[in-house]
mmCIF file of all heavy atoms in Angstrom:
data_model
loop_
_atom_site.group_PDB
_atom_site.id
_atom_site.type_symbol
_atom_site.label_atom_id
_atom_site.label_comp_id
_atom_site.label_asym_id
_atom_site.label_seq_id
_atom_site.Cartn_x
_atom_site.Cartn_y
_atom_site.Cartn_z
ATOM 1 N N SER A 55 -63.238 -8.495 70.603
ATOM 2 C CA SER A 55 -63.764 -9.447 69.627
ATOM 3 C C SER A 55 -63.772 -10.841 70.241
ATOM 4 O O SER A 55 -62.719 -11.392 70.562
ATOM 5 C CB SER A 55 -62.894 -9.441 68.365
ATOM 6 O OG SER A 55 -63.215 -10.521 67.525
ATOM 7 N N SER A 56 -64.952 -11.426 70.382
ATOM 8 C CA SER A 56 -65.043 -12.768 70.986
ATOM 9 C C SER A 56 -64.348 -13.804 70.118
ATOM 10 O O SER A 56 -63.767 -14.770 70.631
ATOM 11 C CB SER A 56 -66.512 -13.158 71.186
ATOM 12 O OG SER A 56 -67.208 -13.156 69.944
ATOM 13 N N THR A 57 -64.364 -13.596 68.794
ATOM 14 C CA THR A 57 -63.718 -14.546 67.887
ATOM 15 C C THR A 57 -62.209 -14.535 68.056
ATOM 16 O O THR A 57 -61.568 -15.590 68.186
ATOM 17 C CB THR A 57 -64.072 -14.215 66.420
ATOM 18 O OG1 THR A 57 -65.487 -14.271 66.262
ATOM 19 C CG2 THR A 57 -63.417 -15.207 65.473
ATOM 20 N N ILE A 58 -61.621 -13.332 68.074
ATOM 21 C CA ILE A 58 -60.155 -13.221 68.241
ATOM 22 C C ILE A 58 -59.745 -13.700 69.620
ATOM 23 O O ILE A 58 -58.739 -14.394 69.781
ATOM 24 C CB ILE A 58 -59.703 -11.772 68.007
ATOM 25 C CG1 ILE A 58 -60.039 -11.321 66.584
ATOM 26 C CG2 ILE A 58 -58.203 -11.632 68.269
ATOM 27 C CD1 ILE A 58 -59.721 -9.860 66.302
ATOM 28 N N GLU A 59 -60.529 -13.351 70.630
ATOM 29 C CA GLU A 59 -60.214 -13.777 71.997
ATOM 30 C C GLU A 59 -60.222 -15.301 72.102
ATOM 31 O O GLU A 59 -59.346 -15.893 72.748
ATOM 32 C CB GLU A 59 -61.231 -13.180 72.976
ATOM 33 C CG GLU A 59 -60.945 -13.514 74.425
ATOM 34 C CD GLU A 59 -62.042 -13.048 75.366
ATOM 35 O OE1 GLU A 59 -62.919 -12.272 74.921
ATOM 36 O OE2 GLU A 59 -62.026 -13.467 76.536
ATOM 37 N N LYS A 60 -61.177 -15.927 71.453
ATOM 38 C CA LYS A 60 -61.253 -17.389 71.466
ATOM 39 C C LYS A 60 -60.035 -18.004 70.787
ATOM 40 O O LYS A 60 -59.497 -19.023 71.257
ATOM 41 C CB LYS A 60 -62.536 -17.848 70.771
ATOM 42 C CG LYS A 60 -62.780 -19.346 70.848
ATOM 43 C CD LYS A 60 -64.116 -19.709 70.220
ATOM 44 C CE LYS A 60 -64.374 -21.203 70.305
ATOM 45 N NZ LYS A 60 -65.682 -21.565 69.697
ATOM 46 N N GLU A 61 -59.570 -17.390 69.705
ATOM 47 C CA GLU A 61 -58.377 -17.884 69.016
ATOM 48 C C GLU A 61 -57.147 -17.793 69.912
ATOM 49 O O GLU A 61 -56.308 -18.700 69.941
ATOM 50 C CB GLU A 61 -58.145 -17.080 67.734
ATOM 51 C CG GLU A 61 -59.191 -17.338 66.651
ATOM 52 C CD GLU A 61 -59.015 -16.420 65.460
ATOM 53 O OE1 GLU A 61 -58.126 -15.534 65.514
ATOM 54 O OE2 GLU A 61 -59.761 -16.577 64.471
ATOM 55 N N VAL A 62 -57.035 -16.693 70.659
ATOM 56 C CA VAL A 62 -55.898 -16.525 71.574
ATOM 57 C C VAL A 62 -55.954 -17.576 72.675
ATOM 58 O O VAL A 62 -54.933 -18.171 73.034
ATOM 59 C CB VAL A 62 -55.895 -15.103 72.170
ATOM 60 C CG1 VAL A 62 -54.832 -14.986 73.271
ATOM 61 C CG2 VAL A 62 -55.625 -14.067 71.088
ATOM 62 N N ARG A 63 -57.146 -17.824 73.216
ATOM 63 C CA ARG A 63 -57.282 -18.865 74.247
ATOM 64 C C ARG A 63 -56.884 -20.225 73.695
ATOM 65 O O ARG A 63 -56.260 -21.035 74.381
ATOM 66 C CB ARG A 63 -58.717 -18.921 74.776
ATOM 67 C CG ARG A 63 -59.054 -17.878 75.797
ATOM 68 C CD ARG A 63 -60.250 -18.294 76.654
ATOM 69 N NE ARG A 63 -61.425 -18.577 75.853
ATOM 70 C CZ ARG A 63 -62.324 -17.676 75.473
ATOM 71 N NH1 ARG A 63 -62.172 -16.415 75.818
ATOM 72 N NH2 ARG A 63 -63.372 -18.013 74.756
ATOM 73 N N GLY A 64 -57.244 -20.477 72.444
ATOM 74 C CA GLY A 64 -56.867 -21.742 71.815
ATOM 75 C C GLY A 64 -55.359 -21.889 71.704
ATOM 76 O O GLY A 64 -54.815 -22.965 71.960
ATOM 77 N N ARG A 65 -54.691 -20.792 71.311
ATOM 78 C CA ARG A 65 -53.228 -20.839 71.221
ATOM 79 C C ARG A 65 -52.599 -21.040 72.592
ATOM 80 O O ARG A 65 -51.614 -21.774 72.735
ATOM 81 C CB ARG A 65 -52.705 -19.550 70.577
ATOM 82 C CG ARG A 65 -53.015 -19.433 69.094
ATOM 83 C CD ARG A 65 -52.134 -18.403 68.425
ATOM 84 N NE ARG A 65 -52.450 -17.040 68.837
ATOM 85 C CZ ARG A 65 -53.341 -16.260 68.223
ATOM 86 N NH1 ARG A 65 -54.003 -16.723 67.174
ATOM 87 N NH2 ARG A 65 -53.552 -15.023 68.629
ATOM 88 N N LEU A 66 -53.174 -20.376 73.602
ATOM 89 C CA LEU A 66 -52.653 -20.517 74.962
ATOM 90 C C LEU A 66 -52.780 -21.960 75.451
ATOM 91 O O LEU A 66 -51.837 -22.528 76.003
ATOM 92 C CB LEU A 66 -53.407 -19.570 75.905
ATOM 93 C CG LEU A 66 -52.953 -19.564 77.377
ATOM 94 C CD1 LEU A 66 -51.505 -19.100 77.501
ATOM 95 C CD2 LEU A 66 -53.874 -18.667 78.215
#
Side-chain angles (χ1 to χ4, degrees):
S55 168
S56 59
T57 301
I58 299 176
E59 183 186 348
K60 186 176 181 180
E61 291 174 356
V62 172
R63 280 202 303 272
R65 289 198 290 270
L66 182 62

